[in-house]
Amino acid sequence: MIRLNNLQKEYKGFKLDITMDVPEGRVTGLIGRNGAGKTTTIKCILGLVRPTAGEAEVFGRNPLDLTSDERQMIGVALSESGFSMLFTLEDVIKVLSASYKDFDEKRFRDMCSAQSLPFDKQIKDYSSGMKAKLRVLVAISHNAKLLILDEPTAGLDVIARNDILAIIRKYLDENPERSIVISSHISSDLEGLCDDIYMISDGKIILHEDTDVLLGKYGLIKMSSEEFETLDKRYIVAKQEDRFSVTCLTSEKQFYVENYPKLVIENAHIDDIIVLMLGGEK
Amino acid sequence: MKGLFIKDIRLIANQKRFLILYLAVALILSFSMDSSFIVSYVPMMAMLLVLSTISYDYNDNGMSFIMTLPNKPGDYAVEKYIFSASGVTFMWLVSMVLQFVSFMIQKTEYVLSEVILTDALMLPMFLLIIAIMIPIELKYSPEKGRTVLFIIFGIVMIAVIAGKGLVEKIGGAGDVMELFVKLQNMSPVVLIIAAYAVCLIVLSISMVSTIRIMQNKEF
Amino acid sequence: MKIIINNTSMIPVYEQLMDQIKQEIIGGGLKEGDALPSVRNLAGELRISALTVKKAYDKLEEDGFTVTVHGKGSYVAATDIPLALEARRKAVEEDFAEAVSKARSAGLEDDEIREILEILLEDT
C-alpha cells in the first residue's frame, strides 16, 4: 500500500532518509521523539511535501499523482491541523458530505454523540481531548481504506487515549482490509495496536520489527558490572551502565533465561527499547 | 471541489457579526447617501469577505489539512477564483439593484448611460484586484497580501493626485489632453468591452499562475 | 471462551494464546466446527497486535487443532480429543526421557532423580 524507498527530505539542519513498506491490512506504528521525523514522513506519504530524493508510493503511485477518487480512500488526522476553528460540527458535516462520496453522516453523528462532542459549539471552544477525538472521527467517517494518523493521542489523558484507541480498534475490526499508519511518541498506545513498529530517530529508521517479536523476544537483563564482564554478548543489542548496575537489551531473551537463570530478566516494553537504543551503547 | 465551496460558504456564514454590519450599512447607504457609492461599497466588502477565506484557511495551520481532502492543489486555486469572482459579481448585481431602489426612494435624477458606464466599470476593477491578491496571498501569505492591497491603494491615490498635478502643471499640454478627449469621446460600449477583455485576460493569467503556485507549494 | 494474557510472563504472547485455545478445545469449551473470533476482533479485545493472533492461529492450524477457510475465518477442526491428549502425553514422555538421560550423564542416581521430581511437584 505504501512504499518509501530511500526517501529523503532535507530541511535546514535536518535530513530525513528512510525506507518503509506497509502492506495492505497492516497496522504500522511510527515511533520517535519530537522532531525525529515522524510528521515529515507522514507529510511525504500524503504528498504534502516533496522529497528531495528517493521515491514514495501510495497505492502504487506517487502520492502527488493520486486521483481524487483514490484520495477518497485515505482518511487523515494531523496533529496540528484540522478544520477551521470557527466551524461547528454541522459545518464539518456539510463539508465532509460534499467532499467524500462514502461519508456516512448518520454514523458520524452517532459517534460524535457517543463521544459527547457538542454539536453547537465552535471547534475553538472544544477541549483538547474533544479536538483529538473529532480529528479521528473525521478520518474514519468516510470508509477510508488507509488511515494516516499523526499523533492522534498526543497531549491527552489516559482515559481519552483509551477512548480513541477503542474507536480505532473498532474501525479495524469492521473491515480486515483497512490499513493504518499511526505515529506517536506514546509507545504503550502502539504496543497494543500495531502489527509492526518503525523507530525513527534523527531522520533515520533505527529499528523495524514486528510488535510480536519486540514484546516476545526482546528483553531487559539487569546485572552487576562483574556479571556483565563474563556475559555471553552474542545477543546483546545495547547496554546502559549506571552507578549500581548494568542494564542490557537483548533480542533473544529466551537464550538468557535458559542459560543465566540467576539474572534478572524482564520483558522489554517499547519505551525501554527506545531508551536503550538511543541512550545506551551498542 | 464542491467541498471547498461549501467550506468557503460556511467560513463566510460564520462571520455573522461582520455580515450583519455589512448589510446594515449597505441598507442605510441605500436610503440616505449618494446612491452611487453603494456600487463601490457593496462589491468591495464582498471582495474583502471572499478574500478573507484565504486568511481563514491559513489560520491554525489549516492548509495542511485542507490539502489532505480529496482535492488536487490546482482545484483549490480554481475554486478560489470561481468563488471570489461569482461572489463579487453577485453582490455587484445586488448593489446595482439597491442603487436604483435608492434612486427611486430619494427621487434622484440620473442619466442612465452615465450611471451604467460607471457601474459597469466597477466590476472589472474589483476583479482585477482579486486577480492580483489571490496569487500574492497564496504564494507569500495573507499578511503580505494585505500589505500589497494597501500599497496598491496608495499607489493609485498617489498616481491620481500626481497625475492631476502633472496635468495642471503642463496646463493642458497637447498629448495628454488629446488622450483625455479621445477617452471621453470613445464610445462607452467600446470602453466597457475593453475593460472586461483586459480583466478576463488578467484573471486567466492569474488563475493559471496560481494553479502553478499551488502545485509547487509545500504544506 | 476465556483467554487471559500474562504480560509479565516470559512466555511469548502467541504461545500463551495457542495454549489457552488448545485448552478450550481439549476441555470441550470449543467444539468441532465452532468459529474462532476473527483475528482483528480478538486482537482488539486482548489489545495485542493482529499479527500475534495470526501467528497463533497459523500454528494452531499447523498442529491440527483448527482449520482456516480463506475469507471466512478459523474453525475448530474435527480433532479426536483422545488423540490430541495422546499426542501431548507422548511429548511429555519424550521431555522426561531427555531430562532423565541428562541427569544420568551428569552422574545422578535414580533416587536423586526421584527426589528432584518430588521437590518440583511440590514447588510448582
Side-chain angles (χ1 to χ4, degrees):
Chain A
M1 268 221 154
I2 299 182
R3 194 166 297 172
L4 302 178
N5 235 331
N6 292 322
L7 186 78
Q8 291 176 34
K9 176 70 185 165
E10 276 190 60
Y11 288 117
K12 277 207 186 74
F14 175 78
K15 179 159 182 233
L16 186 79
D17 186 349
I18 53 174
T19 296
M20 215 169 119
D21 192 340
V22 180
E24 190 176 301
R26 191 63 83 89
V27 179
T28 293
L30 192 55
I31 280 216
R33 301 175 62 187
N34 293 323
K38 304 188 295 291
T39 303
T40 308
T41 304
I42 285 192
K43 286 193 171 179
C44 285
I45 294 176
L46 291 170
L48 292 177
V49 302
R50 229 162 264 104
T52 37
E55 352 169 281
E57 260 182 34
V58 175
F59 301 147
R61 318 221 273 134
N62 188 328
L64 297 161
D65 294 334
L66 290 173
T67 65
S68 260
D69 282 341
E70 285 166 328
R71 304 183 84 188
Q72 299 253 343
M73 298 200 286
I74 303 179
V76 181
L78 295 178
S79 59
E80 283 167 358
S81 179
F83 281 111
S84 167
M85 290 284 142
L86 296 184
F87 274 12
T88 62
L89 268 184
E90 294 294 337
D91 295 324
V92 169
I93 290 176
K94 290 283 181 308
V95 176
L96 286 175
S97 201
S99 303
Y100 291 103
K101 295 182 195 149
D102 282 344
F103 176 62
D104 189 338
E105 179 168 343
K106 176 158 192 319
R107 206 178 74 128
F108 183 72
R109 283 183 188 274
D110 290 342
M111 288 199 291
C112 289
S113 302
Q115 298 295 327
S116 309
L117 297 183
F119 275 80
D120 51 0
K121 271 204 192 142
Q122 290 182 320
I123 298 179
K124 70 177 181 358
D125 296 326
Y126 276 19
S127 70
S128 51
M130 289 184 207
K131 285 184 191 159
K133 287 181 183 176
L134 178 59
R135 287 195 289 260
V136 173
L137 289 182
V138 163
I140 65 174
S141 66
H142 55 272
N143 195 23
K145 269 192 84 175
L146 174 62
L147 282 189
I148 310 278
L149 308 175
D150 188 14
E151 309 240 21
T153 57
L156 302 183
D157 65 68
V158 66
I159 305 286
R161 277 182 4 224
N162 274 331
D163 288 341
I164 290 185
L165 291 173
I167 293 172
I168 296 175
R169 285 195 183 98
K170 183 149 179 288
Y171 189 70
L172 281 172
D173 190 18
E174 287 166 5
N175 186 336
E177 284 175 15
R178 290 172 174 164
S179 316
I180 303 188
V181 171
I182 172 169
S183 81
S184 182
H185 61 272
I186 305 175
S187 32
S188 49
D189 285 351
L190 300 193
E191 267 173 19
L193 185 69
C194 299
D195 297 325
D196 62 335
I197 305 239
Y198 284 85
M199 275 184 217
I200 183 168
S201 171
D202 239 348
K204 293 197 179 22
I205 304 284
I206 54 174
L207 184 63
H208 170 222
E209 193 60 89
D210 286 351
T211 315
D212 185 55
V213 170
L214 283 176
L215 297 178
K217 294 178 79 164
Y218 278 68
L220 288 180
I221 317 174
K222 300 184 180 168
M223 66 203 90
S224 66
S225 321
E226 295 80 33
E227 285 165 319
F228 181 69
E229 300 291 319
T230 54
L231 189 75
D232 181 340
K233 302 185 185 47
R234 252 180 299 171
Y235 304 109
I236 300 294
V237 173
K239 94 164 199 301
Q240 196 171 53
E241 256 193 83
D242 61 48
R243 235 182 6 139
F244 303 110
S245 65
V246 176
T247 306
C248 289
L249 177 68
T250 172
S251 53
E252 293 287 344
K253 68 182 173 217
Q254 283 303 343
F255 173 76
Y256 293 94
V257 165
E258 276 163 30
N259 295 313
Y260 295 87
K262 293 242 175 63
L263 291 184
V264 171
I265 304 183
E266 294 174 350
N267 286 326
H269 288 287
I270 294 180
D271 277 335
D272 304 315
I273 300 178
I274 293 180
V275 167
L276 271 143
M277 294 214 53
L278 291 183
E281 308 152 35
K282 308 284 183 301
Chain B
M1 239 194 280
K2 192 166 143 217
L4 293 173
F5 280 114
I6 305 276
K7 163 184 76 71
D8 283 344
I9 292 174
R10 300 237 125 197
L11 276 176
I12 292 190
N14 265 307
Q15 301 180 52
K16 285 199 190 79
R17 261 177 233 159
F18 182 80
L19 283 177
I20 292 177
L21 199 62
Y22 170 28
L23 283 169
V25 174
L27 286 173
I28 293 174
L29 285 178
S30 321
F31 301 143
S32 58
M33 272 187 61
D34 172 13
S35 318
S36 299
F37 185 64
I38 299 175
V39 185
S40 46
Y41 168 77
V42 168
M44 179 167 81
M45 287 295 132
M47 178 187 78
L48 291 177
L49 262 180
V50 298
L51 286 179
S52 77
T53 59
I54 299 185
S55 295
Y56 281 108
D57 286 342
Y58 265 84
N59 272 359
D60 302 311
N61 244 321
M63 283 300 264
S64 302
F65 181 70
I66 291 176
M67 287 302 146
T68 65
L69 295 175
N71 305 293
K72 316 199 77 179
D75 293 346
Y76 178 87
V78 171
E79 183 268 341
K80 279 291 182 246
Y81 279 88
I82 298 181
F83 184 70
S84 310
S86 17
V88 170
T89 305
F90 176 71
M91 290 316 284
W92 171 74
L93 290 169
V94 165
S95 74
M96 284 204 291
V97 169
L98 282 177
Q99 179 189 44
F100 282 103
V101 164
S102 160
F103 281 154
M104 280 189 339
I105 293 183
Q106 297 184 36
K107 301 203 189 348
T108 333
E109 287 186 3
Y110 56 89
V111 180
L112 189 62
S113 57
E114 272 178 27
V115 168
I116 291 194
L117 178 62
T118 330
D119 288 355
L121 290 178
M122 275 292 157
L123 184 59
M125 181 175 81
F126 288 118
L127 291 179
L128 274 173
I129 297 182
I130 288 180
I132 299 177
M133 291 296 289
I134 291 186
I136 292 185
E137 294 205 353
L138 290 177
K139 185 159 172 77
Y140 303 107
S141 70
E143 291 74 37
K144 288 234 173 71
R146 226 161 285 149
T147 318
V148 168
L149 198 58
F150 285 141
I151 293 179
I152 290 180
F153 278 149
I155 290 180
V156 166
M157 290 231 252
I158 294 177
V160 166
I161 297 174
K164 264 203 185 138
L166 207 64
V167 168
E168 277 159 20
K169 247 200 180 154
I170 298 176
D175 291 330
V176 182
M177 275 326 276
E178 277 182 33
L179 189 61
F180 248 36
V181 171
K182 255 203 208 141
L183 271 175
Q184 289 192 325
N185 285 343
M186 221 193 307
S187 151
V189 175
V190 174
L191 202 57
I192 293 178
I193 293 180
Y196 277 83
V198 166
C199 180
L200 218 63
I201 294 175
V202 173
L203 269 177
S204 313
I205 297 178
S206 170
M207 185 161 87
V208 168
S209 351
T210 305
I211 291 180
R212 205 160 295 157
I213 291 174
M214 288 306 284
Q215 284 170 341
N216 288 329
K217 217 167 135 94
E218 299 207 328
F219 306 98
Chain C
M1 187 165 75
K2 168 187 95 170
I3 300 197
I4 300 184
I5 302 293
N6 182 346
N7 285 315
T8 57
S9 160
M10 285 287 134
I11 303 176
V13 172
Y14 84 89
E15 247 184 70
Q16 293 183 39
L17 194 52
M18 262 177 65
D19 285 341
Q20 294 189 39
I21 294 182
K22 274 188 196 169
Q23 287 304 328
E24 288 279 335
I25 294 179
I26 292 176
L30 279 175
K31 299 191 191 24
E32 179 185 332
D34 279 350
L36 291 180
S38 78
V39 170
R40 283 228 167 130
N41 186 265
L42 191 54
E45 293 285 337
L46 295 177
R47 301 190 196 184
I48 56 181
S49 99
L51 275 189
T52 311
V53 175
K54 188 162 185 313
K55 202 166 171 182
Y57 278 21
D58 285 346
K59 292 213 105 216
L60 281 171
E61 193 178 17
E62 254 177 56
D63 291 352
F65 282 85
T66 60
V67 168
T68 304
V69 178
H70 188 68
K72 287 191 116 192
S74 297
Y75 299 86
V76 178
T79 31
D80 203 342
I81 302 298
L83 257 185
L85 273 176
E86 183 60 41
R88 293 190 112 198
R89 244 223 170 104
K90 266 213 93 187
V92 170
E93 268 183 46
E94 280 166 25
D95 284 342
F96 265 116
E98 203 188 314
V100 167
S101 124
K102 250 191 185 164
R104 282 189 177 148
S105 51
L108 291 172
E109 298 287 349
D110 284 5
D111 277 332
E112 288 173 290
I113 297 177
R114 276 194 207 97
E115 223 183 280
I116 295 178
L117 186 54
E118 289 293 344
I119 297 178
L120 280 175
L121 284 173
E122 275 177 42
D123 276 351
T124 44

